[in-house]
Each structure stands twice: as structure tokens, then as C-alpha cells.
Short mmCIF file of all heavy atoms in Angstrom, two decimals:
data_model
loop_
_atom_site.label_atom_id
_atom_site.label_comp_id
_atom_site.label_asym_id
_atom_site.label_seq_id
_atom_site.Cartn_x
_atom_site.Cartn_y
_atom_site.Cartn_z
N GLY A 25 -121.08 -10.41 96.01
CA GLY A 25 -121.79 -10.98 94.88
C GLY A 25 -120.88 -11.38 93.75
O GLY A 25 -121.36 -11.62 92.64
N VAL A 26 -119.56 -11.50 93.96
CA VAL A 26 -118.66 -11.85 92.87
C VAL A 26 -118.80 -13.31 92.47
O VAL A 26 -118.19 -13.76 91.52
CB VAL A 26 -117.18 -11.58 93.24
CG1 VAL A 26 -116.94 -10.11 93.36
CG2 VAL A 26 -116.78 -12.29 94.51
N ARG A 27 -119.63 -14.02 93.15
CA ARG A 27 -119.90 -15.40 92.76
C ARG A 27 -120.50 -15.47 91.36
O ARG A 27 -120.45 -16.47 90.69
CB ARG A 27 -120.89 -16.03 93.75
CG ARG A 27 -122.19 -15.27 93.86
CD ARG A 27 -123.06 -15.73 95.02
NE ARG A 27 -123.51 -17.07 94.85
CZ ARG A 27 -123.85 -17.87 95.86
NH1 ARG A 27 -123.72 -17.46 97.09
NH2 ARG A 27 -124.27 -19.09 95.65
N ARG A 28 -121.14 -14.37 90.92
CA ARG A 28 -121.79 -14.35 89.61
C ARG A 28 -120.75 -14.14 88.53
O ARG A 28 -120.51 -13.06 88.06
CB ARG A 28 -122.83 -13.23 89.61
CG ARG A 28 -123.58 -13.11 88.34
CD ARG A 28 -124.76 -12.19 88.51
NE ARG A 28 -125.85 -12.85 89.19
CZ ARG A 28 -126.58 -13.80 88.66
NH1 ARG A 28 -126.33 -14.24 87.47
NH2 ARG A 28 -127.58 -14.35 89.34
N GLU A 29 -120.08 -15.25 88.11
CA GLU A 29 -119.01 -15.17 87.12
C GLU A 29 -119.35 -16.01 85.90
O GLU A 29 -118.52 -16.60 85.28
CB GLU A 29 -117.68 -15.60 87.72
CG GLU A 29 -117.19 -14.64 88.78
CD GLU A 29 -115.79 -14.95 89.24
OE1 GLU A 29 -115.26 -15.99 88.83
OE2 GLU A 29 -115.23 -14.17 90.01
N THR A 30 -120.64 -16.07 85.57
CA THR A 30 -121.07 -16.82 84.42
C THR A 30 -121.60 -15.86 83.37
O THR A 30 -122.01 -14.75 83.68
CB THR A 30 -122.19 -17.81 84.81
OG1 THR A 30 -123.25 -17.06 85.45
CG2 THR A 30 -121.67 -18.85 85.78
N PRO A 31 -121.60 -16.29 82.09
CA PRO A 31 -122.11 -15.40 81.05
C PRO A 31 -123.58 -15.05 81.29
O PRO A 31 -124.33 -15.83 81.85
CB PRO A 31 -121.96 -16.25 79.77
CG PRO A 31 -120.91 -17.25 80.12
CD PRO A 31 -121.09 -17.55 81.57
N VAL A 32 -123.97 -13.87 80.83
CA VAL A 32 -125.37 -13.47 80.96
C VAL A 32 -126.22 -14.40 80.12
O VAL A 32 -125.88 -14.72 78.98
CB VAL A 32 -125.54 -12.02 80.47
CG1 VAL A 32 -127.00 -11.60 80.54
CG2 VAL A 32 -124.69 -11.09 81.29
N ALA A 33 -127.35 -14.83 80.68
CA ALA A 33 -128.22 -15.75 79.97
C ALA A 33 -128.86 -15.05 78.77
O ALA A 33 -128.98 -13.84 78.72
CB ALA A 33 -129.30 -16.27 80.91
N ALA A 34 -129.28 -15.86 77.82
CA ALA A 34 -129.95 -15.30 76.65
C ALA A 34 -131.24 -14.62 77.09
O ALA A 34 -131.82 -14.96 78.12
CB ALA A 34 -130.26 -16.44 75.66
N ALA A 35 -131.69 -13.63 76.30
CA ALA A 35 -132.89 -12.88 76.64
C ALA A 35 -134.07 -13.82 76.83
O ALA A 35 -134.31 -14.72 76.03
CB ALA A 35 -133.17 -11.87 75.53
N ARG A 36 -134.82 -13.60 77.89
CA ARG A 36 -135.98 -14.43 78.16
C ARG A 36 -136.98 -13.64 78.97
O ARG A 36 -136.69 -12.54 79.43
CB ARG A 36 -135.59 -15.69 78.92
CG ARG A 36 -134.92 -15.44 80.27
CD ARG A 36 -134.44 -16.74 80.87
NE ARG A 36 -133.69 -16.57 82.10
CZ ARG A 36 -134.07 -17.06 83.27
NH1 ARG A 36 -135.22 -17.70 83.38
NH2 ARG A 36 -133.32 -16.91 84.34
N LYS A 37 -138.17 -14.20 79.13
CA LYS A 37 -139.21 -13.54 79.89
C LYS A 37 -139.79 -14.49 80.92
O LYS A 37 -139.75 -15.71 80.76
CB LYS A 37 -140.31 -13.04 78.96
CG LYS A 37 -139.89 -11.88 78.06
CD LYS A 37 -141.09 -11.32 77.30
CE LYS A 37 -140.69 -10.11 76.47
NZ LYS A 37 -141.86 -9.52 75.76
N VAL A 38 -140.32 -13.92 82.00
CA VAL A 38 -140.99 -14.69 83.03
C VAL A 38 -142.34 -14.04 83.29
O VAL A 38 -142.55 -12.86 83.01
CB VAL A 38 -140.18 -14.76 84.34
CG1 VAL A 38 -138.87 -15.50 84.13
CG2 VAL A 38 -139.92 -13.37 84.90
N ASP A 39 -143.25 -14.83 83.83
CA ASP A 39 -144.60 -14.35 84.14
C ASP A 39 -144.70 -14.06 85.63
O ASP A 39 -144.77 -14.97 86.45
CB ASP A 39 -145.62 -15.41 83.73
CG ASP A 39 -147.06 -14.95 83.96
OD1 ASP A 39 -147.26 -13.77 84.35
OD2 ASP A 39 -147.98 -15.76 83.76
N LEU A 40 -144.68 -12.77 85.98
CA LEU A 40 -144.74 -12.37 87.39
C LEU A 40 -146.15 -12.41 87.96
O LEU A 40 -146.33 -12.26 89.17
CB LEU A 40 -144.17 -10.96 87.55
CG LEU A 40 -142.68 -10.79 87.25
CD1 LEU A 40 -142.31 -9.31 87.31
CD2 LEU A 40 -141.83 -11.58 88.24
N SER A 41 -147.14 -12.60 87.11
CA SER A 41 -148.53 -12.57 87.58
C SER A 41 -148.85 -13.72 88.54
O SER A 41 -149.84 -13.67 89.26
CB SER A 41 -149.49 -12.60 86.39
OG SER A 41 -149.40 -13.84 85.69
N ARG A 42 -147.99 -14.72 88.55
CA ARG A 42 -148.22 -15.86 89.44
C ARG A 42 -147.81 -15.56 90.88
O ARG A 42 -148.10 -16.32 91.79
CB ARG A 42 -147.45 -17.08 88.93
CG ARG A 42 -147.88 -17.55 87.55
CD ARG A 42 -147.14 -18.79 87.12
NE ARG A 42 -147.53 -19.24 85.79
CZ ARG A 42 -147.07 -20.35 85.21
NH1 ARG A 42 -146.18 -21.10 85.84
NH2 ARG A 42 -147.49 -20.69 83.99
N LEU A 43 -147.10 -14.46 91.06
CA LEU A 43 -146.66 -14.08 92.40
C LEU A 43 -147.69 -13.16 93.06
O LEU A 43 -148.22 -12.24 92.42
CB LEU A 43 -145.31 -13.35 92.33
CG LEU A 43 -144.08 -14.21 92.12
CD1 LEU A 43 -142.89 -13.32 91.76
CD2 LEU A 43 -143.76 -15.02 93.37
N SER A 44 -147.95 -13.39 94.34
CA SER A 44 -148.84 -12.49 95.07
C SER A 44 -148.05 -11.25 95.50
O SER A 44 -146.83 -11.18 95.32
CB SER A 44 -149.40 -13.19 96.31
OG SER A 44 -148.39 -13.33 97.31
N ASN A 45 -148.72 -10.30 96.10
CA ASN A 45 -148.06 -9.08 96.57
C ASN A 45 -147.45 -9.24 97.96
O ASN A 45 -146.83 -8.31 98.48
CB ASN A 45 -149.07 -7.92 96.58
CG ASN A 45 -149.50 -7.52 95.19
OD1 ASN A 45 -148.72 -7.60 94.23
ND2 ASN A 45 -150.76 -7.10 95.06
N LYS A 46 -147.62 -10.40 98.55
CA LYS A 46 -147.19 -10.58 99.95
C LYS A 46 -145.67 -10.50 100.12
O LYS A 46 -145.19 -10.13 101.19
CB LYS A 46 -147.69 -11.92 100.49
CG LYS A 46 -149.20 -12.00 100.65
CD LYS A 46 -149.63 -13.23 101.42
CE LYS A 46 -149.24 -14.51 100.71
NZ LYS A 46 -149.70 -15.73 101.48
N GLY A 47 -144.93 -10.84 99.08
CA GLY A 47 -143.47 -10.80 99.19
C GLY A 47 -142.86 -9.61 98.50
O GLY A 47 -141.63 -9.57 98.31
N ALA A 48 -143.68 -8.62 98.16
CA ALA A 48 -143.19 -7.45 97.43
C ALA A 48 -142.89 -6.30 98.38
O ALA A 48 -143.73 -5.91 99.19
CB ALA A 48 -144.22 -7.02 96.40
N ILE A 49 -141.69 -5.77 98.29
CA ILE A 49 -141.29 -4.58 99.05
C ILE A 49 -141.24 -3.43 98.04
O ILE A 49 -140.33 -3.36 97.22
CB ILE A 49 -139.92 -4.79 99.73
CG1 ILE A 49 -140.02 -5.93 100.74
CG2 ILE A 49 -139.43 -3.51 100.39
CD1 ILE A 49 -138.69 -6.37 101.31
N VAL A 50 -142.22 -2.57 98.10
CA VAL A 50 -142.38 -1.53 97.08
C VAL A 50 -141.84 -0.20 97.60
O VAL A 50 -142.15 0.24 98.70
CB VAL A 50 -143.87 -1.36 96.70
CG1 VAL A 50 -144.01 -0.31 95.59
CG2 VAL A 50 -144.45 -2.70 96.24
N TRP A 51 -141.01 0.42 96.77
CA TRP A 51 -140.48 1.73 97.12
C TRP A 51 -140.21 2.53 95.84
O TRP A 51 -140.17 1.98 94.76
CB TRP A 51 -139.21 1.63 97.96
CG TRP A 51 -138.07 0.85 97.35
CD1 TRP A 51 -137.86 -0.49 97.47
CD2 TRP A 51 -136.99 1.36 96.57
NE1 TRP A 51 -136.71 -0.86 96.78
CE2 TRP A 51 -136.16 0.26 96.23
CE3 TRP A 51 -136.64 2.62 96.12
CZ2 TRP A 51 -135.01 0.41 95.46
CZ3 TRP A 51 -135.49 2.78 95.35
CH2 TRP A 51 -134.70 1.67 95.03
N GLY A 52 -140.03 3.82 95.99
CA GLY A 52 -139.85 4.68 94.84
C GLY A 52 -141.18 5.07 94.23
O GLY A 52 -142.24 4.57 94.61
N SER A 53 -141.13 5.97 93.28
CA SER A 53 -142.36 6.40 92.61
C SER A 53 -142.03 6.74 91.16
O SER A 53 -140.99 7.31 90.85
CB SER A 53 -142.95 7.63 93.31
OG SER A 53 -142.04 8.71 93.31
N GLY A 54 -142.90 6.34 90.29
CA GLY A 54 -142.68 6.60 88.87
C GLY A 54 -143.65 5.79 88.05
O GLY A 54 -144.20 4.79 88.52
N SER A 55 -143.85 6.19 86.82
CA SER A 55 -144.78 5.48 85.95
C SER A 55 -144.24 4.13 85.52
O SER A 55 -145.00 3.18 85.30
CB SER A 55 -145.09 6.33 84.72
OG SER A 55 -143.89 6.68 84.04
N SER A 56 -142.92 4.01 85.42
CA SER A 56 -142.31 2.74 85.06
C SER A 56 -142.10 1.89 86.31
O SER A 56 -141.78 2.40 87.38
CB SER A 56 -140.96 2.97 84.38
OG SER A 56 -141.11 3.69 83.19
N LYS A 57 -142.29 0.59 86.15
CA LYS A 57 -142.11 -0.33 87.27
C LYS A 57 -141.05 -1.37 86.91
O LYS A 57 -140.96 -1.81 85.77
CB LYS A 57 -143.42 -1.03 87.63
CG LYS A 57 -144.49 -0.11 88.19
CD LYS A 57 -145.72 -0.88 88.60
CE LYS A 57 -146.79 0.03 89.19
NZ LYS A 57 -148.00 -0.73 89.60
N VAL A 58 -140.28 -1.76 87.90
CA VAL A 58 -139.27 -2.80 87.69
C VAL A 58 -139.23 -3.68 88.92
O VAL A 58 -139.34 -3.20 90.06
CB VAL A 58 -137.89 -2.18 87.41
CG1 VAL A 58 -137.39 -1.37 88.59
CG2 VAL A 58 -136.89 -3.24 87.02
N THR A 59 -139.15 -4.96 88.71
CA THR A 59 -139.07 -5.93 89.81
C THR A 59 -137.63 -6.40 89.94
O THR A 59 -136.98 -6.71 88.94
CB THR A 59 -140.00 -7.13 89.55
OG1 THR A 59 -141.35 -6.67 89.48
CG2 THR A 59 -139.88 -8.17 90.66
N VAL A 60 -137.14 -6.45 91.17
CA VAL A 60 -135.76 -6.86 91.42
C VAL A 60 -135.73 -8.00 92.42
O VAL A 60 -136.22 -7.85 93.55
CB VAL A 60 -134.91 -5.68 91.95
CG1 VAL A 60 -133.47 -6.14 92.19
CG2 VAL A 60 -134.94 -4.51 90.99
N PHE A 61 -135.19 -9.13 92.02
CA PHE A 61 -134.93 -10.23 92.95
C PHE A 61 -133.53 -9.97 93.51
O PHE A 61 -132.54 -9.94 92.78
CB PHE A 61 -135.00 -11.58 92.23
CG PHE A 61 -136.41 -11.96 91.84
CD1 PHE A 61 -136.97 -11.52 90.64
CD2 PHE A 61 -137.19 -12.75 92.67
CE1 PHE A 61 -138.26 -11.83 90.28
CE2 PHE A 61 -138.50 -13.09 92.32
CZ PHE A 61 -139.04 -12.63 91.12
N SER A 62 -133.47 -9.78 94.83
CA SER A 62 -132.24 -9.28 95.43
C SER A 62 -131.92 -10.01 96.72
O SER A 62 -132.70 -10.82 97.21
CB SER A 62 -132.40 -7.78 95.74
OG SER A 62 -133.50 -7.58 96.63
N ASP A 63 -130.74 -9.71 97.23
CA ASP A 63 -130.29 -10.22 98.53
C ASP A 63 -129.65 -9.04 99.26
O ASP A 63 -128.78 -8.36 98.70
CB ASP A 63 -129.28 -11.35 98.33
CG ASP A 63 -128.90 -12.03 99.64
OD1 ASP A 63 -128.35 -11.34 100.53
OD2 ASP A 63 -129.13 -13.24 99.77
N PHE A 64 -130.08 -8.79 100.48
CA PHE A 64 -129.60 -7.61 101.20
C PHE A 64 -128.14 -7.71 101.65
O PHE A 64 -127.59 -6.74 102.15
CB PHE A 64 -130.50 -7.32 102.40
CG PHE A 64 -131.86 -6.82 102.00
CD1 PHE A 64 -133.02 -7.52 102.34
CD2 PHE A 64 -132.00 -5.65 101.26
CE1 PHE A 64 -134.26 -7.05 101.96
CE2 PHE A 64 -133.24 -5.18 100.87
CZ PHE A 64 -134.39 -5.89 101.23
N HIS A 65 -127.51 -8.87 101.43
CA HIS A 65 -126.09 -9.01 101.69
C HIS A 65 -125.25 -8.93 100.41
O HIS A 65 -124.04 -9.11 100.45
CB HIS A 65 -125.80 -10.35 102.39
CG HIS A 65 -126.25 -10.38 103.82
ND1 HIS A 65 -126.26 -11.55 104.57
CD2 HIS A 65 -126.69 -9.40 104.64
CE1 HIS A 65 -126.70 -11.28 105.80
NE2 HIS A 65 -126.95 -9.98 105.85
N CYS A 66 -125.91 -8.65 99.30
CA CYS A 66 -125.24 -8.62 98.00
C CYS A 66 -124.80 -7.20 97.67
O CYS A 66 -125.62 -6.28 97.59
CB CYS A 66 -126.20 -9.15 96.93
SG CYS A 66 -125.75 -8.76 95.23
N GLY A 67 -123.49 -7.01 97.49
CA GLY A 67 -122.97 -5.69 97.19
C GLY A 67 -123.47 -5.13 95.88
O GLY A 67 -123.69 -3.92 95.74
N TYR A 68 -123.67 -5.98 94.86
CA TYR A 68 -124.16 -5.51 93.58
C TYR A 68 -125.63 -5.11 93.67
O TYR A 68 -126.08 -4.20 92.97
CB TYR A 68 -123.97 -6.58 92.51
CG TYR A 68 -122.52 -6.85 92.22
CD1 TYR A 68 -122.05 -8.14 91.99
CD2 TYR A 68 -121.60 -5.82 92.18
CE1 TYR A 68 -120.71 -8.39 91.74
CE2 TYR A 68 -120.27 -6.05 91.93
CZ TYR A 68 -119.82 -7.35 91.71
OH TYR A 68 -118.50 -7.58 91.46
N CYS A 69 -126.38 -5.78 94.54
CA CYS A 69 -127.78 -5.40 94.75
C CYS A 69 -127.84 -4.02 95.39
O CYS A 69 -128.70 -3.20 95.05
CB CYS A 69 -128.48 -6.42 95.65
SG CYS A 69 -128.53 -8.09 94.97
N ARG A 70 -126.94 -3.79 96.31
CA ARG A 70 -126.88 -2.46 96.94
C ARG A 70 -126.55 -1.39 95.90
O ARG A 70 -127.18 -0.33 95.86
CB ARG A 70 -125.82 -2.46 98.03
CG ARG A 70 -125.60 -1.10 98.67
CD ARG A 70 -124.49 -1.14 99.70
NE ARG A 70 -124.29 0.16 100.31
CZ ARG A 70 -123.42 0.42 101.26
NH1 ARG A 70 -122.65 -0.56 101.73
NH2 ARG A 70 -123.30 1.62 101.77
N ALA A 71 -125.57 -1.67 95.04
CA ALA A 71 -125.20 -0.72 94.00
C ALA A 71 -126.36 -0.48 93.04
O ALA A 71 -126.62 0.66 92.61
CB ALA A 71 -123.98 -1.22 93.25
#
């Protein structure tokens, strides 16, 4: 994942409500939720 050599983008928000649950892989348990767009070949995603 070292391809990511650009500055971090300015703070912004997206609306996840437009996405269905069909592409969601849910794991873990806790009151807080976090969504991660990932790639299973990405070393930083693994970390």
C-alpha cells in the first residue's frame, strides 16, 4: 500500500446511507461502529 504517498485530504464527510448491506462484511462487537473501505492485498489495511 505504499502507493498512498499523497497528503491526507481535508476533513470531509460522506453519506453511507446510500449503500445497502449486501457489500458489508461485519465483524467485531462494540457500541461504536466504523466502516473501512479496504483491500485484502493491502498491507496497511491488514495492520
Side-chain angles (χ1 to χ4, degrees):
V26 292
R27 58 191 294 154
R28 181 168 283 289
E29 293 188 353
T30 55
V32 178
R36 59 186 175 118
K37 291 187 176 182
V38 296
D39 182 6
L40 294 174
S41 66
R42 298 183 181 183
L43 283 167
S44 73
N45 292 327
K46 293 190 298 181
I49 297 171
V50 182
W51 57 271
S53 60
S55 56
S56 298
K57 294 184 179 180
V58 63
T59 298
V60 180
F61 289 86
S62 59
D63 187 299
F64 290 119
H65 287 170
C66 163
Y68 294 140
C69 299
R70 176 183 180 178

